[in-house]
Amino acid sequence: MSTYNCTVSTQPGAAPEDSRLHHVKDKSGKLVGFVNPFPSFGRWKDMSLLKAGFVYFRYKAEGKLPVPDTSNAQIPTVSPSFLSSRTGSSSLRSTWLGHASYFVEFPSGFRALFDPVFEEKYSGMGPKRFSSPACKLGDFPALDAIFISHNHPDHLSYTSVKELVQLYPRVHFFVGLNESKWFHDNGIKAVTEMDWWDDAEMVLERTLSSKAGSDDANVSPSPERISARVSFLPSQHGSMRTPLDYNKTLWGSWAITSGDKSLWFAGDTGYRCVPEGIEELGPGFDELPRNPNFSQIGDLRGPFNVGIIPIGAYAPRMMYSGVHASPYDAVEIFQDTKCKNALAMHWGTWALTSEPVEEPPEKLKEALKIKGLAETGLFDVCAIGESCDF
């Protein structure tokens, strides 16, 4: 199998004038945390973690946060089909592995994994999976980079990360600001930490010992050189592993271009905060503030061949709209970011919120119809393990 030496260089990229509003600094000017800076975050913008906890438990006691039934959930699942070689395809192939995990194969030969979480329970207190991962962590034919959107345990699994490093010792991680400390403390040095609107170039060059061979005797030789342009971009969410590190590390989305194909991975994100008393698509809904970052992403980094956008964990809206997009929000995000096509994620794996677990794809079709867009072939839902080519 061919091996590659990796170099990564970073620099500030094109950004709007207000590109650092998300920084929180102490009196000495030291960066100590992050915020969602726009009115689209609604009442959560100035709410402490303690007060947010009180709101959650009050809604829970009032019966506003029912737990959906997963006992008969029918989430389509197929065996994945990864490319046998880094060469020979002119398409970008995206394979959904469950929840927010995607494996993406670029025509350049670049292979990337997003938010890998393969455990049955993503945390001790979390719910159990009601659908299995599409594959095992060692099933990828090659793996060059892993992109982490934020440190919530359903997106960053320390267990999966440690196993992946053992299986793919040359893999490189990309994370948001202040997130690299855990990696370094655990002996993982191949980590690039980025702020919103930063760009990076990752270059892979075949080692001398592998240039005469190929990944497989029956396939074409691997490319001599592979490059990928990486951008870390905004989203509307948050971060926390314990009550003591609330919003101390940066969340965000990722844009990757390699081999003349581009992808935007939204991570976990809200779009607009829907307060109590307003129903989605009801009176007053269209006047609610939208997050402006998505249009800026479209203008400054788009268009993209494909977007990977969350459609689940949205109900009730008065509780989760600030941090989780509904299918209707997802369609507007798709339009704002100038994605030519999109695939859905962040549903069908764990019951995180109160909507029926099979509802998000139905709501997505409704949202596309309301927007006058094609209900299939534009923003699609695939089976766990299914690969889509663009």
Side-chain angles (χ1 to χ4, degrees):
M1 180 178 290
S2 295
T3 57
Y4 288 84
N5 288 326
C6 169
T7 58
V8 177
S9 57
T10 62
Q11 59 278 322
E17 291 183 1
D18 56 358
S19 63
R20 295 297 182 260
L21 292 178
H22 59 293
H23 286 188
V24 177
K25 297 182 178 181
D26 62 17
K27 292 180 180 179
S28 69
K30 180 183 177 181
L31 182 64
V32 294
F34 307 94
V35 294
N36 293 291
F38 298 112
S40 57
F41 198 49
R43 62 174 176 160
W44 306 102
K45 184 174 181 293
D46 300 309
M47 190 176 291
S48 67
L49 178 61
L50 181 62
K51 188 173 181 180
F54 282 137
V55 171
Y56 174 85
F57 286 110
R58 177 168 66 85
Y59 284 161
K60 192 77 172 175
E62 294 173 353
K64 295 178 179 178
L65 301 174
V67 177
D69 180 17
T70 63
S71 59
N72 295 309
Q74 301 293 321
I75 308 301
T77 303
V78 300
S79 296
S81 176
F82 303 129
L83 298 173
S84 60
S85 162
R86 288 182 183 264
T87 59
S89 175
S90 59
S91 299
L92 179 155
R93 172 172 287 191
S94 297
T95 305
W96 187 36
L97 308 176
H99 196 53
S101 300
Y102 262 85
F103 180 65
V104 181
E105 300 166 279
F106 289 82
S108 64
F110 186 62
R111 301 296 184 252
L113 182 61
F114 295 83
D115 284 4
V117 181
F118 278 59
E119 289 73 45
E120 182 181 31
K121 296 183 72 173
Y122 60 79
S123 70
M125 299 294 290
K128 289 185 178 181
R129 279 182 182 263
F130 56 85
S131 60
S132 299
C135 65
K136 296 179 181 178
L137 286 173
D139 289 346
F140 308 118
L143 185 57
D144 303 311
I146 297 175
F147 296 90
I148 304 296
S149 65
H150 65 298
N151 72 359
H152 285 160
D154 60 320
H155 292 258
L156 171 55
S157 162
Y158 294 157
T159 301
S160 291
V161 164
K162 290 176 181 178
E163 185 175 346
L164 284 162
V165 171
Q166 293 296 317
L167 292 166
Y168 308 94
R170 291 177 177 265
V171 72
H172 195 95
F173 290 86
F174 289 85
V175 301
L177 284 184
N178 293 352
E179 194 62 68
S180 63
K181 183 180 185 302
W182 176 87
F183 290 82
H184 292 160
D185 288 348
N186 284 273
I188 303 169
K189 305 303 181 184
V191 184
T192 295
E193 190 177 276
M194 298 173 69
D195 197 0
W196 288 354
W197 304 108
D198 282 352
D199 288 340
E201 183 180 21
M202 182 174 183
V203 177
L204 302 169
E205 294 186 300
R206 285 178 66 188
T207 61
L208 290 174
S209 61
S210 67
K211 284 190 176 183
S214 68
D215 285 347
D216 188 286
N218 299 317
V219 299
S220 302
S222 296
E224 295 283 341
R225 186 179 189 274
I226 300 170
S227 65
R229 180 194 175 194
V230 174
S231 299
F232 191 47
L233 301 168
S235 69
Q236 182 171 291
H237 199 60
S239 64
M240 186 175 72
R241 296 294 291 204
T242 74
L244 301 179
D245 66 358
Y246 179 59
N247 286 355
K248 298 298 184 183
T249 65
L250 185 58
W251 54 94
S253 61
W254 294 100
I256 296 91
T257 300
S258 187
D260 297 322
K261 294 289 184 178
S262 58
L263 173 143
W264 179 66
F265 177 80
D268 216 347
T269 188
Y271 184 62
R272 73 188 116 209
C273 186
V274 182
E276 286 188 89
I278 293 183
E279 298 294 327
E280 191 160 78
L281 303 180
F285 174 76
D286 201 45
E287 285 73 47
L288 295 173
R290 297 165 169 82
N291 188 308
N293 283 147
F294 299 104
S295 292
Q296 293 167 343
I297 289 170
D299 291 340
L300 296 174
R301 295 295 189 281
F304 304 100
N305 293 104
V306 61
I308 298 176
I309 302 175
I311 66 166
Y314 52 79
R317 299 307 287 141
M318 48 76 177
M319 185 70 197
Y320 295 108
S321 56
V323 293
H324 286 165
S326 70
Y328 188 84
D329 290 338
V331 173
E332 292 204 4
I333 290 172
F334 163 69
Q335 293 177 310
D336 285 355
T337 51
K338 299 182 180 177
C339 295
K340 297 176 183 178
N341 290 91
L343 295 173
M345 66 164 176
H346 208 259
W347 76 282
T349 306
W350 291 287
L352 303 178
T353 51
S354 295
E355 75 273 5
V357 295
E358 295 174 85
E359 180 183 88
E362 300 169 8
K363 292 290 186 182
L364 177 61
K365 283 194 173 185
E366 292 177 13
L368 290 164
K369 184 176 181 180
I370 289 169
K371 285 290 188 179
L373 301 173
E375 295 177 41
T376 58
L378 186 66
F379 189 158
D380 288 326
V381 175
C382 56
I384 293 176
E386 183 179 357
S387 297
C388 297
D389 294 296
F390 301 91

